[in-house]
């Protein structure tokens, strides 16, 4: 499963790349509020930040060899392999995320296109590839997701109340319902509404829309999610109001009063954003509204990284890419009749959500192992959750609820 992860790069070329990576890493961390400790007692980092988060490098040669071979992919792989660790992984990753655009010296950034790997063609989200890409993440195991998600099985940012700045696990269900209800309100879902949901998840949004008296068609490409969503919808008593289809969003037909989609655009791929929004425009009935929840990144970083193959692509979300708000506005303005009418920024809420998920995942480490997921997978998943939380805490990432309607509405 892990390919060459267990083989440390070797040979003259790997050694040369490792030396370069070592120099770049030392240069980067010498200016950062982070404390990097080595087995021989050496310490790197900004000496003016004595309380900085600690990164423990256990196998320096292996660490730099992996970074030298694969850059930031190798940085994540080195964590998966146990070459380094951190008592507070999110805090360390937040330091790097906050300075992502300047970690590499400016002159070397001009060489980015020559050294950074490109996404493989097999991960481009064509109608042929998309189901496989989705399956690699969402069909891992319903039981796995159930171990760290709350009872709603909602795998997206919650929306916490004003007094829940440091939420507990018991706050999460109501915060997920608050998020869903805010999105349904934005889309105008009410008694008699015809609702299309792109990206079913495990059915909670469809259930809450049906509880309002709407009829719902939900589409997904995950067989695992479709099976469990249908079961949960039936148990909630709404099987007569909700239809869940295993279908690519590009093939949806019909007209709908409301179209909702939660953190689905991230899996579309930047080459198909126009197709995605033209589809929403095509199926939206006159007077209808679209409400999406989208993880976003700064526009300049989006442009700089849109053809980059990353650790997240390789191990978590093949084929995915995050839009900027500006990209969404420009695509909808130039390629559709849809216009952005409302936006709610809630990145800090996602950081809180991810922290609760990661704590829950750690609490259920033995149960994860009992499902057959090994130590490397558990380190990978912990890195993924902390990596994501760090992105939101640093402000590098945001998540938005965006309401759109027609230009002439």
């Amino acid at each position: 499963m892990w390919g060459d992860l267990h083989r440390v790069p070797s040979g003259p070329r790997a050694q040369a790349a490792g030396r370069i990576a070592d120099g770049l890493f030392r240069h980067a961390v010498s200016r950062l509020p982070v404390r990097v400790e080595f087995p021989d007692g050496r310490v790197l980092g900004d000496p003016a930040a004595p309380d900085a988060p600690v990164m423990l490098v256990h196998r320096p040669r292996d660490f730099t060899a992996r970074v030298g071979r694969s850059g930031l992919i190798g940085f994540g792989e080195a964590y998966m392999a146990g070459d380094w660790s951190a008592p507070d992984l999110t805090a360390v990753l937040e330091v790097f995320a906050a300075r992502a655009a300047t970690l590499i010296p400016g002159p070397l950034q001009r060489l980015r296109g020559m050294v950074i790997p490109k996404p493989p063609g097999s991960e481009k989200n064509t109608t042929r590839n998309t189901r496989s890409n989705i399956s690699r993440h969402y069909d891992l195991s319903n039981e796995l997701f159930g171990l760290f998600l709350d009872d709603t099985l909602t795998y997206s940012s919650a929306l916490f109340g004003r007094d829940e700045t440091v939420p507990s696990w018991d706050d999460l269900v109501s915060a997920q319902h608050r998020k869903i209800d805010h999105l349904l309100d934005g889309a105008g879902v009410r008694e008699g509404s015809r609702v299309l949901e792109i990206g079913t998840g495990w059915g909670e949004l469809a259930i809450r829309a049906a509880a309002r008296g709407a009829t719902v068609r939900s589409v997904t490409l995950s067989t695992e999610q479709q099976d469990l969503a249908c079961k949960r919808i039936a148990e909630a008593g709404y099987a007569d109001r909700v239809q869940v289809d295993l279908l690519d969003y590009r093939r949806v037909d019909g007209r709908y009063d409301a179209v909702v989609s939660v953190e689905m655009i991230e899996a579309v791929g930047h080459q198909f954003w126009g197709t995605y929004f033209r589809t929403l425009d095509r199926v939206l009935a006159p007077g209808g509204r679209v409400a999406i929840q989208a993880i976003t990144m700064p526009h300049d970083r989006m442009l700089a990284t849109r053809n980059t193959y990353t650790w997240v692509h390789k191990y978590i979300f093949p084929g995915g890419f995050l839009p900027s708000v500006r990209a969404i506005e420009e695509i909808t303005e130039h390629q559709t009749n849809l216009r952005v009418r409302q936006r709610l920024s809630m990145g800090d809420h996602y950081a809180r959500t991810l922290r609760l998920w990661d704590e829950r995942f750690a609490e259920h480490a033995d149960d994860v192992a009992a499902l057959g997921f090994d130590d490397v997978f558990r380190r990978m998943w912990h890195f993924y959750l902390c990596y994501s939380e760090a992105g939101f805490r640093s402000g590098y990432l945001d998540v938005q609820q965006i309401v759109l309607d027609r230009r002439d509405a």
Side-chain angles (χ1 to χ4, degrees):
M1 174 179 179
W2 301 117
D4 61 356
L5 184 67
H6 294 300
R7 293 190 296 274
V8 180
S10 60
R13 181 176 296 180
Q15 291 173 6
R19 287 193 292 271
I20 294 171
D22 182 61
L24 290 173
F25 179 73
R26 289 171 182 273
H27 177 268
V29 299
S30 67
R31 300 171 289 118
L32 298 180
V34 64
R35 181 181 174 89
V36 183
E37 300 181 359
F38 292 85
D40 62 3
R42 288 177 300 147
V43 177
L44 298 177
D46 184 351
D51 297 325
V54 176
M55 175 180 176
L56 303 170
V57 180
H58 306 295
R59 296 188 287 267
R61 287 187 180 179
D62 294 359
F63 171 74
T64 55
R66 295 184 200 278
V67 174
R69 176 183 63 186
S70 305
L72 289 177
I73 293 177
F75 184 77
E77 289 179 333
Y79 184 85
M80 293 165 63
D83 297 337
W84 69 276
S85 64
D88 187 342
L89 180 58
T90 298
V92 169
L93 294 176
E94 184 178 352
V95 170
F96 289 106
R99 297 155 182 83
T102 59
L103 288 175
I104 302 300
L108 292 180
Q109 291 192 32
R110 300 189 188 100
L111 303 176
R112 181 185 185 92
M114 298 173 59
V115 298
I116 299 295
K118 302 292 190 296
S122 60
E123 290 194 4
K124 188 176 180 180
N125 278 314
T126 62
T127 52
R128 175 178 295 182
N129 295 337
T130 298
R131 184 168 178 182
S132 173
N133 287 343
I134 293 296
S135 178
R136 282 172 57 187
H137 186 85
Y138 292 99
D139 287 345
L140 278 170
S141 162
N142 284 334
E143 291 79 8
L144 170 69
F145 287 100
L147 289 175
F148 71 91
L149 299 180
D150 64 85
D151 290 343
T152 70
L153 289 180
T154 305
Y155 189 36
S156 53
S157 177
L159 181 61
F160 294 97
R162 294 179 182 273
D163 59 342
E164 295 171 341
T165 54
V166 185
S168 70
W169 181 257
D170 293 337
D171 298 321
L172 194 49
V173 168
S174 61
Q176 291 292 9
H177 285 162
R178 185 180 296 110
K179 175 272 298 294
I180 292 171
D181 291 343
H182 192 273
L183 201 69
L184 294 177
D185 290 344
V189 176
R190 58 181 66 86
E191 180 83 29
S193 294
R194 299 166 297 171
V195 177
L196 171 67
E197 179 188 24
I198 298 178
T200 305
W202 285 277
E204 191 71 13
L205 186 147
I207 289 170
R208 292 189 76 78
R212 294 186 177 205
T215 57
V216 184
R217 185 186 189 189
S218 186
V219 298
T220 180
L221 287 176
S222 167
T223 55
E224 289 278 317
Q225 287 190 329
Q226 181 193 37
D227 290 345
L228 185 52
C230 287
K231 179 180 178 182
R232 296 181 72 243
I233 289 163
E235 289 175 348
Y238 296 113
D240 60 331
R241 287 187 172 274
V242 181
Q243 171 185 339
V244 181
D245 294 329
L246 198 66
L247 185 69
D248 191 292
Y249 71 91
R250 287 164 283 209
R251 294 177 172 166
V252 172
D253 57 6
R255 303 297 290 275
Y256 304 89
D257 304 305
V259 180
V260 292
S261 187
V262 179
E263 295 178 23
M264 159 65 188
I265 191 173
E266 302 87 346
V268 167
H270 65 87
Q271 305 93 334
F272 299 100
W273 288 339
T275 302
Y276 174 80
F277 283 109
R278 288 194 299 271
T279 299
L280 303 186
D281 193 13
R282 171 174 58 81
V283 301
L284 188 66
R289 277 186 275 173
V290 172
I292 68 172
Q293 185 163 305
I295 302 172
T296 61
M297 65 190 303
H299 190 70
D300 61 335
R301 298 307 301 160
M302 186 207 77
L303 294 176
T305 61
R306 60 184 169 183
N307 293 314
T308 300
Y309 188 54
T310 68
W311 181 87
V312 170
H313 289 134
K314 185 172 182 179
Y315 290 102
I316 307 297
F317 292 114
F321 190 66
L322 305 182
S324 66
V325 171
R326 177 176 165 183
I328 292 172
E329 292 175 338
E330 289 180 350
I331 289 170
T332 52
E333 181 175 353
H334 296 140
Q335 300 189 37
T336 75
N337 287 312
L338 299 173
R339 296 293 179 270
V340 173
R341 303 301 188 191
Q342 301 173 31
R343 287 198 295 115
L344 172 66
S345 171
M346 42 193 280
D348 59 326
H349 295 261
Y350 218 152
R352 287 176 251 169
T353 304
L354 285 155
R355 174 58 61 95
L356 292 173
W357 289 347
D358 185 54
E359 291 172 351
R360 190 75 163 184
F361 183 77
E363 291 170 5
H364 286 278
D366 291 342
D367 298 312
V368 174
L371 290 174
F373 295 97
D374 64 12
D375 290 342
V376 177
F377 178 91
R378 295 195 294 277
R379 285 196 295 271
M380 178 192 78
W381 206 260
H382 175 54
F383 188 88
Y384 151 58
L385 293 174
C386 293
Y387 178 94
S388 302
E389 181 187 351
F392 290 106
R393 289 199 182 279
S394 68
Y396 185 80
L397 301 179
D398 197 2
V399 63
Q400 305 263 343
Q401 284 197 357
I402 302 174
V403 177
L404 309 96
D405 61 18
R406 289 244 169 72
R407 175 172 50 189
D408 54 358

